[in-house]
């Protein structure tokens, strides 16, 4: 895969804009078909108003340029020779393509320069705001760095839990138990992970496997058909990574919960919990507790750290010495991100609502 220079985005070409995913824009290629293989380096688009006014440094290379009514009327207000110069200079910059919105007929000078320089020029009947929104969303989805992992992804109390583990360890059975308890499945066996702006990791299901699960001895089942539409969702931000691993005698596992391990995905670190698998362990319950505990940390309460602090204070009281310096607080960004959690998540956290959900299942 090819990355944009100095960026983490994947490169794409102008030709991708003509795919069916942008059919709502009804893009029409006016001229510049020889330049459809020009690269797009960044998903964010630009409006070149300042560039038409002479500030050419404003134009960032490799971006889609949106020309609306205001830019067109400004160009029309300029003297002919100055207009030709500004259009020629802007078309000669390292841009990917131009999209003229609101069904406006592109200026003849603009069509001439784009044809001369093989710069694709599109027209769309959509408003500028609509064209910007849809184009940016499409490019962010297309150009986002991504990986595919042998894992499962579930929505547990509003927390995106990525389940890792060797084949046959019990990931699918654990996921099925969580769905039975009222949680939601995003993907089983194969998870597509994309890194969006602001280091948001979104997990998706493979199109062919969506809503399906393989259970050894039973075969392929459709979770949506068995448990209803509320048991699945198509995408979920990943908040925590849980690995199921075979219990090995003598292996050290975190017993206090203050180790603070992290797992890196596409350059983004996420909290990491290792759950040893042994006969008699209720894995679904343990994953639920891990999700609840993470949710409490996001809200500013860390049970393990609070317990450790009480122990330190008790030791200090009995020995007459100063209390040990407390452990560092939970990451401030994670605490702040708890504001994103919806009221629906907090409601589902209540025991009576959970019990009602289980009865409905």
């Amino acid at each position: 895969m090819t990355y944009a220079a100095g960026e983490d985005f994947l490169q794409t070409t102008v030709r991708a804009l003509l795919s069916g995913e942008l059919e709502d824009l009804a893009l029409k290629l006016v001229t510049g078909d020889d330049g459809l293989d020009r690269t797009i380096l960044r998903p964010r688009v630009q409006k070149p108003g300042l560039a038409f006014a002479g500030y050419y440094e404003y134009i960032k290379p490799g971006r889609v340029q949106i020309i609306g009514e205001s830019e067109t009327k400004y160009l029309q207000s300029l003297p002919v020779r100055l207009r030709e110069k500004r259009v020629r200079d802007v078309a000669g910059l390292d841009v990917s393509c131009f999209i003229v919105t609101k069904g406006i007929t592109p200026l003849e000078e603009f069509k001439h320069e784009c044809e001369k320089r093989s710069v694709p020029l599109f027209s769309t009947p959509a408003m500028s705001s609509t064209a910007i929104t849809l184009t940016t969303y499409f490019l962010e989805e297309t150009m986002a760095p991504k990986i595919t992992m042998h894992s499962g992804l579930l929505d547990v109390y509003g927390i995106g839990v990525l389940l890792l583990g060797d084949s046959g360890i019990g990931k699918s059975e654990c996921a099925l138990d969580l769905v039975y308890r009222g949680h939601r499945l995003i993907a089983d066996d194969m998870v597509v992970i994309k890194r969006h702006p602001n280091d948001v990791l979104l997990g998706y299901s493979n199109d062919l496997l969506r809503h399906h699960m393989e259970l050894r001895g039973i075969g392929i089942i459709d979770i949506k058909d068995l448990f209803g539409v509320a048991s699945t969702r198509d995408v979920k931000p990943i908040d925590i990574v849980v690995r199921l691993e075979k219990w090995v005698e003598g292996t050290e596992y975190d017993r206090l919960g203050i180790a603070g391990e992290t797992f890196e995905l596409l350059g983004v670190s996420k909290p990491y919990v290792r759950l040893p698998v042994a006969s008699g362990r209720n894995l679904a319950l343990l994953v639920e507790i891990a999700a609840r505990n993470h949710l409490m940390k996001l809200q500013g309460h860390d049970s393990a750290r609070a317990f450790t602090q009480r122990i330190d204070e008790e030791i200090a009281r009995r020995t007459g010495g100063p209390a040990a310096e407390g452990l560092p607080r939970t990451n401030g960004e994670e605490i702040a991100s708890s504001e994103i959690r919806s009221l629906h998540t907090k409601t589902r956290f209540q025991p009576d609502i959970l019990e009602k959900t289980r009865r409905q299942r």
Side-chain angles (χ1 to χ4, degrees):
M1 61 183 65
T2 305
Y3 287 86
E7 299 283 353
D8 289 331
F9 302 112
L10 302 178
Q11 288 186 6
T12 188
T13 64
V14 176
R15 192 180 301 275
L17 299 177
L18 295 175
S19 66
E21 296 183 51
L22 283 177
E23 61 182 0
D24 290 343
L25 291 183
L27 289 174
K28 178 183 177 182
L29 181 62
V30 178
T31 188
D33 54 327
D34 292 339
L36 287 177
D37 291 325
R38 293 171 75 100
T39 57
I40 300 175
L41 301 180
R42 295 168 177 82
R44 288 195 300 172
V45 302
Q46 280 190 299
K47 296 196 72 178
L50 285 176
F52 288 142
Y55 185 58
Y56 303 130
E57 291 80 4
Y58 170 77
I59 296 294
K60 304 298 182 184
R63 288 192 182 181
V64 175
Q65 305 294 321
I66 305 292
I67 299 175
E69 185 177 14
S70 57
E71 289 83 9
T72 302
K73 286 188 174 181
Y74 173 74
L75 287 173
Q76 290 173 335
S77 70
L78 297 177
V80 175
R81 294 200 173 205
L82 180 58
R83 179 169 66 239
E84 291 176 348
K85 179 182 184 305
R86 294 284 170 78
V87 169
R88 180 172 61 252
D89 291 345
V90 172
L93 297 174
D94 186 14
V95 300
S96 299
C97 67
F98 296 97
I99 299 178
V100 181
T101 62
K102 296 185 71 174
I104 298 173
T105 301
L107 298 176
E108 288 300 324
E109 298 95 331
F110 215 84
K111 289 194 290 186
H112 173 73
E113 288 298 330
C114 288
E115 183 177 4
K116 176 182 175 182
R117 301 174 184 273
S118 296
V119 179
L121 175 63
F122 296 95
S123 177
T124 175
M127 302 285 289
S128 294
S129 57
T130 302
I132 291 172
T133 300
L134 293 181
T135 304
T136 301
Y137 177 80
F138 168 74
L139 291 177
E140 285 182 350
E141 284 289 320
T142 302
M143 302 175 67
K146 66 178 181 178
I147 56 173
T148 301
M149 297 188 67
H150 174 60
S151 56
L153 180 60
L154 294 107
D155 179 343
V156 182
Y157 301 127
I159 299 295
V161 179
L162 183 69
L163 278 180
L164 304 180
D166 295 334
S167 181
I169 197 71
K171 296 188 299 297
S172 294
E173 290 80 359
C174 178
L176 181 61
D177 199 356
L178 287 168
V179 171
Y180 183 75
R181 290 167 177 261
H183 306 294
R184 306 176 74 181
L185 176 75
I186 293 87
D188 179 65
D189 197 52
M190 184 180 295
V191 180
V192 179
I193 302 172
K194 294 183 179 180
R195 196 187 84 186
H196 286 252
N198 300 321
D199 289 339
V200 175
L201 296 177
L202 295 183
Y204 306 78
S205 173
N206 177 279
D207 290 339
L208 187 62
L209 302 178
R210 182 169 291 125
H211 307 153
H212 289 81
M213 179 182 292
E214 178 198 356
L215 297 174
R216 287 176 173 82
I218 296 178
I220 305 296
I221 62 173
D222 190 315
I223 296 296
K224 189 175 181 180
D225 288 345
L226 287 174
F227 295 93
V229 294
S231 63
T232 63
R233 59 182 300 172
D234 294 334
V235 61
K236 177 67 182 174
I238 296 173
D239 298 299
I240 184 173
V241 179
V242 175
R243 177 178 291 278
L244 306 182
E245 55 184 45
K246 188 176 181 180
W247 185 300
V248 178
E249 191 69 30
T251 301
E252 289 291 332
Y253 296 103
D254 187 10
R255 301 185 67 175
L256 288 178
I258 60 176
E261 291 186 85
T262 58
F263 190 90
E264 189 169 294
L265 292 165
L266 294 171
V268 180
S269 295
K270 289 296 177 182
Y272 180 53
V273 177
R274 294 187 302 148
L275 294 180
V277 176
S279 178
R281 301 201 87 195
N282 191 330
L283 295 180
L285 176 61
L286 293 176
V287 172
E288 278 188 333
I289 297 302
R292 285 178 181 243
N293 194 43
H294 181 69
L295 185 58
M296 295 297 291
K297 289 180 180 179
L298 291 177
Q299 296 173 348
H301 179 72
D302 192 323
S303 301
R305 293 172 187 268
F307 175 77
T308 304
Q309 184 177 356
R310 288 199 302 271
I311 294 296
D312 291 339
E313 291 173 352
E314 181 65 18
I315 293 175
R317 186 185 67 81
R318 294 190 180 188
T319 60
E325 185 177 350
L327 293 167
R329 287 177 55 82
T330 305
N331 186 288
E333 294 182 358
E334 291 185 353
I335 295 176
S337 70
S338 65
E339 298 177 358
I340 302 175
R341 306 297 166 193
S342 64
L343 292 175
H344 175 63
T345 297
K346 296 179 181 178
T347 301
R348 291 189 63 204
F349 195 76
Q350 299 175 8
D352 57 332
I353 300 298
L354 289 175
E355 185 59 32
K356 181 180 179 181
T357 302
R358 290 168 185 157
R359 290 199 302 268
Q360 291 176 344
R361 293 296 182 199

